[in-house]
Amino acid sequence: MLQPLAIVFYERLMPGSQLVNRLQDLHYRVLTISNPALLAVTARRESPLVLFVDLDAPGEICGAIEKIKADDHTKHLPIIAFAPDKKAGLLALAQKAGANLVVGETALSGHLEPLLEQALRLD
């Protein structure tokens, strides 16, 4: 059986590695990226089921989200953006850029499965 692919962009070890491990426990193949400039091109090439984006990292992360959502080949991909709970302003920027779900790290770690279900729901 083919495992669905999740792309995870992160630079901070926690929660990034924890998220990768949890996704693997849910039987996802996981491709990690540490350079936001590669996010859009990798999403186009790999056609993942879902993308996770850590907003609390240097680089133009919201620009990468905008690029994914502007591309006809990738605009349908659900993007779950996350940031430290104390940095709610980052979440607003990601939502404006086009992220499907924006959540604090606490919500991500505590509610990963329902968040995945919500992001993957076809409306």
Side-chain angles (χ1 to χ4, degrees):
M1 183 173 156
L2 186 64
Q3 294 177 303
L5 176 63
I7 292 179
V8 179
F9 166 77
Y10 74 97
E11 286 191 347
R12 296 176 303 131
L13 191 55
M14 293 300 276
S17 61
Q18 182 182 31
L19 174 59
V20 168
N21 290 335
R22 298 241 358 255
L23 286 167
Q24 289 171 336
D25 289 345
L26 294 171
H27 307 289
Y28 278 80
R29 290 180 300 128
V30 179
L31 176 61
T32 59
I33 297 176
S34 60
N35 181 346
L38 299 176
L39 193 57
V41 70
T42 304
R44 189 165 210 247
R45 182 184 66 235
E46 299 295 332
S47 297
L49 186 61
V50 64
L51 289 100
F52 288 86
V53 180
D54 183 357
L55 299 169
D56 193 29
E60 187 49 47
I61 293 125
C62 287
I65 293 170
E66 288 173 344
K67 195 171 182 179
I68 290 166
K69 291 301 182 176
D71 185 332
D72 286 338
H73 298 288
T74 57
K75 67 183 178 184
H76 67 282
L77 296 174
I79 299 174
I80 300 174
F82 60 95
D85 296 330
K86 64 183 184 255
K87 295 190 176 181
L90 292 175
L91 298 176
L93 291 173
Q95 188 169 32
K96 185 177 178 184
N100 299 79
L101 289 175
V102 291
V103 296
E105 287 176 9
T106 303
L108 182 66
S109 63
H111 305 286
L112 180 59
E113 290 179 65
L115 289 169
L116 272 168
E117 287 177 23
Q118 183 177 351
L120 297 174
R121 188 175 325 141
L122 296 175
D123 291 329

